[in-house]
Each structure stands twice: as C-alpha cells, then as structure tokens.
Amino acid sequence: MEWSAIGNSLGHIFEPVNLVLVFLGAFIGIVAGALPGFSASNACAIMLPVTLSMTAEGALIFFSSIYIGAMYGGSIPAILVNTPGTPGASATVLDGYPMAIKGYPDRALGISLMASFAGTLISTVILLFVINPIAEVAFKFGPPEMFAVSMFGLSIISSVVGKEVKKGLLSGFLGLLIAAMVADPARSIPRLTFGFLELYDTVPFVPAVIGLFAMSEMFFMMKKDKIASGNTENIGNVSEIISGMKEVVARPLATLKASLIGTLIGAIPGTGSAVATFVSYAEVKRSSKHPEEFGQGAPEGIIASEAANNGVTGGAFIPMLTLGVPGSSTMAIMMAALLLHGVRPGPELMTQHTSLAYIVMLSLFFAAMAMLVLGGLLGKYFAKVVLIPTTVLIPVVLSLCIIGAFAYRNAMFDGYLIIIFGVLGYFMKRHDYPAIPLVLGLILGPLAETSLYRSLQMSGGKIDILFNRPITIVLWIIIFLTIFGRPLYEKYWAKSKS
C-alpha cells in the first residue's frame, strides 16, 4: 500500500465536484438497481456518454458510485415485491420478502442497507491490501503473457456465464470478430469496414455497450404493463430501517463471512454476484445456530446475500485493475470509460497511473457512505420506482440511449449502430447467448491482436513464444481446464445424480 498515493487520491475525491458525483452516482445506482431487469451495467452504459466531459478521475468515481448503489438498490424490489432488481439480489428474496409480508419491510431494507455497506467496506479494505502484491506479478507480463491473459479472460468469462460453454465461447469469438472489423493495426489496411470510415480506427464502445445491455432490455420490457407487481402498501418508516441496521451490527461473524466470500468470488472473472450470494447464503445457513429459520424471514439470510453481493464489488476490481480483465459487465463498461480517457487498465494503470488506481479503490468507500445516507433517508421512497409503468419508462430510456450514442461522436452512424447492437442483444438474450463475452471480445480484441503481433516480432515469427514461458504455460493450462472442465464436470454430475 502506497500511503503517498492514497493521500493524493483522497485530495482528488474531496474536491467538491467529485463529492457531488459520489452522491449523484449512488442515487442513480440505487434507482437503477431498484428497477427489475435493470442493473449497474445498464445504468453505466446509459451514463457512459455523459462521462466524456468529465475527467478520468470523475468518470471512475461516478461509475464506482453507480455500481455500489445499484448493488444495494436491487434488494428494494426483492424485499418489497418479491422481484430481484438485479441478479445479485436473487438470494435476498428468500428471506427479505417473507420478512416484508410479516409486516417488517423497512426492517428488511435496513438489514440490506447495513449489510451492503459492511460488504463494500470489508471488500475495499481487502482490495487496498492485496492490489500491490498482485500488481507486482502483473508487472512481469510482456506481449506473450498479455495475449494469454486476453485469451484467459475471454475463456473464463465465456465458460462461466450463461447456460452453455459453447454459447459463451461463440459470443466471445463474435466480439473478437467485430473488434477485427477495424483497420489492421500493423499495416493500417482496412479489413471488414464494409466501406464505412466510421469503423476504420475502432468499433465504438458507447453504442455497442448501450445497445447490447440497455436497449435490448427495453425490448424485453415492452411485454410488461408495469415494471413490477405485488404488495407495495406496507412500506414502513425510517425508525424501522434503523432497527434493521442494528440487526447487522449484532451479527458480525455472519457479516464478515459473507463479505469475505463475496470478495473472493468477485475476484474470479465471470462468476458474478449471483454466484457469490447463493454460495454465501448456503454457507451462512450451514453454520447458523438456527438454520430452520432461513426462508422464513431470517435476518441472517438477508445479511448473507447482501454482504456478499456488495463484497463482490471490491473483488471485481482486482482483475480489472491489475490484469485488465473485467470481472463483470459493469467492469467491462468501466474499462471502456478508462480507454475513452486514454488509460488502459492492467499493469500500465498500476505503474503509470497509480493515483488513479487508488482513486477508484477509495471511491468505493465514499460511495458506500453515500449509499448508507441515501438509503437510510430515502429507502422507502426509492421503492416506488418499481411502480413506474413501462409506457413511461421505455420511451425515456430508449431516447436517452439514442441521444447518448449520437452525442459520443456526433455521428448518425452511431445512432444506427446502437439499434443494430440492441437487436443483436435482444436475440442473444432470447436464445441464451450471454452478451458479456461479446463485450469482452470487443475490449480484449485489439489488445490480443497487438500482443500477438509484438510476440511474433520478438520471436522472429515463431509461435512457440506464446507457450514456452512460465506464466503463459500456467495460463494456457487454466484456459484448457476452464473450457473443458465445466462440460466434463456437468456430465459427471449428471451421471452421479441419475
């Protein structure tokens, strides 16, 4: 841990503009998380064009705050209307909604809020202490290692997300193919631009990300009359929220265990908050003195889910900051924001932009504080966003999507591009093809191609340079196990169950 860099980073965060961005981002994140089907990645995708006028520090503080706020916000509809706002809130439903229908909805919200704060705080502390040792290993990475890392990130996310490994891999390779539409980086020869000059130097991140996540989600919401339905009348008061927060303070071991599980799983690219929350829920239930109460409105059940849910946030930054491999779709969008500001995540970030890296990490703590204040004061009002009819929400969001895409480069081409990616995202989701590997392919494609070209230059055209170095050997073994391990495990598991 570099104390001088931390002091410099705190100076940036305490700037009035950045403090405003912390609270604004946390507010937007909570609202976005409270919209079922929406998520931090959707909110960040829509806000991406807005950050172009910000500094790199401001953009990352803003996105970190949205991320933290959304992770908590997903628990609001999960508790009140039995509808998880985000995938990470899926396990919150198990005890949050039963507590709400018993007449304690705001107590459940208070438990969720305090557990989310604790999870973020613990994961941030861990992140601050482990980032340098991991970064020291990352500094040893040359072009062959970076190519292997690119393939590692793509393979692990493609194999973990989604229902089938082959669909995740196809999505990832489609992202690489789209990334290869630009001109050859070595000779500047146009390749798959189809005559469009707008695709000569890059495939625009902004319309691609907004289309795949935000616009495609609006297409699905068109089937609904309202965002959510259920019993929303029994919303309590602030004193009940405070009572719920005390429930978390009274259970430090469960909170710590869930936070550690969330941080650990969050550091594994592609696993996501949903995996972390269910693993945490199972473990906390197993070690509880009253496991029979789980599923009936047990406070520990909500703590297990929400502390792990927000614990994922700190863990997800570890591979993104040190290796340039995003652990989730939100991290992929934050990588895009960094690239748009001329900063490449990975070893370069840790060596050349150390203060920026610490700004990102410390902003998580301040975002958690903002979330705690806003959630405590406005929690019961945030719940009303689930009642917004789709006839109002969809036109507003679609308009923001198209305007945001156009504003990126002031090009109508990007407006058409967002529609193409929106339709692509809709059909991918409809047929269970995950969009995250595609986005990662778009991001890692240029890095993989450049690293491959430089590696071949180093070896005089010999391909074995990619496989005969210690780090690359380990990475290729992991890639092999990642791609073929899950299908073999599922096949074995199916046989053992039959």
Side-chain angles (χ1 to χ4, degrees), residues 352-372:
Q352 300 179 18
H353 306 277
T354 306
S355 294
L356 184 59
Y358 277 103
I359 286 172
V360 174
M361 291 183 275
L362 292 172
S363 67
L364 298 178
F365 171 75
F366 288 93
M369 291 294 295
M371 175 196 70
L372 190 65

Side-chain angles (χ1 to χ4, degrees), residues 238-468:
V238 175
S239 62
E240 278 294 301
I241 292 178
I242 295 174
S243 297
M245 295 169 70
K246 292 179 180 178
E247 296 270 11
V248 180
V249 176
R251 295 169 172 83
L253 291 180
T255 305
L256 178 61
K257 180 182 292 186
S259 301
L260 292 175
I261 291 173
T263 304
L264 178 62
I265 294 179
I268 304 172
T271 49
S273 56
V275 175
T277 53
F278 281 108
V279 171
S280 172
Y281 188 88
E283 173 56 27
V284 172
K285 180 180 179 180
R286 183 197 64 79
S287 59
S288 173
K289 295 181 180 179
H290 303 285
E292 71 281 357
E293 296 180 0
F294 281 66
Q296 308 298 319
E300 282 182 304
I302 303 174
I303 293 170
S305 174
E306 288 302 308
N309 184 25
N310 274 64
V312 167
T313 56
F317 276 95
I318 294 174
M320 194 272 276
L321 292 176
T322 58
L323 298 176
V325 176
S328 65
S329 55
T330 306
M331 291 296 102
I333 296 170
M334 292 187 74
M335 278 186 64
L338 278 169
L339 293 171
L340 289 171
H341 284 85
V343 179
R344 177 167 290 280
E348 178 182 318
L349 175 65
M350 299 303 299
T351 54
Q352 300 179 18
H353 306 277
T354 306
S355 294
L356 184 59
Y358 277 103
I359 286 172
V360 174
M361 291 183 275
L362 292 172
S363 67
L364 298 178
F365 171 75
F366 288 93
M369 291 294 295
M371 175 196 70
L372 190 65
V373 173
L374 293 173
L377 296 176
L378 306 174
K380 62 181 181 181
Y381 301 110
F382 286 139
K384 297 185 183 296
V385 300
V386 302
L387 302 178
I388 298 176
T390 56
T391 52
V392 174
L393 180 71
I394 292 174
V396 172
V397 174
L398 289 179
S399 299
L400 289 173
C401 288
I402 295 175
I403 292 172
F406 175 80
Y408 171 44
R409 299 191 301 180
N410 292 325
M412 278 304 300
F413 177 82
D414 291 347
Y416 300 132
L417 201 60
I418 191 177
I419 296 174
I420 294 172
F421 276 104
V423 173
L424 175 62
Y426 171 81
F427 282 105
M428 288 180 66
K429 188 171 183 178
R430 184 175 179 180
H431 296 285
D432 295 324
Y433 283 88
I436 296 176
L438 191 152
V439 174
L440 188 57
L442 282 173
I443 292 175
L444 295 181
L447 175 62
E449 187 173 13
T450 303
S451 299
L452 176 61
Y453 178 74
R454 291 177 179 173
S455 299
L456 294 177
Q457 278 187 317
M458 290 169 57
S459 65
K462 296 180 181 179
I463 197 72
D464 61 346
I465 192 175
L466 301 174
F467 306 98
N468 61 9

Side-chain angles (χ1 to χ4, degrees), residues 139-164:
F139 295 156
K140 300 177 182 178
F141 283 31
E145 286 80 9
M146 291 311 300
F147 177 78
V149 165
S150 301
M151 295 298 101
F152 163 74
L154 193 62
S155 64
I156 194 169
I157 289 182
S158 298
S159 62
V160 172
V161 301
K163 297 179 180 179
E164 299 180 48

Side-chain angles (χ1 to χ4, degrees), residues 41-42 44-46 48 203-216 329-330 332-334 336-337 401 417-418 421-422 435 438-440 442-443:
S41 59
N42 298 136
C44 288
I46 293 175
L48 189 56
V203 176
F205 283 121
V206 174
V209 172
I210 296 178
L212 284 169
F213 290 101
M215 181 165 279
S216 63
S329 55
T330 306
I333 296 170
M334 292 187 74
C401 288
L417 201 60
I418 191 177
F421 276 104
L438 191 152
V439 174
L440 188 57
L442 282 173
I443 292 175

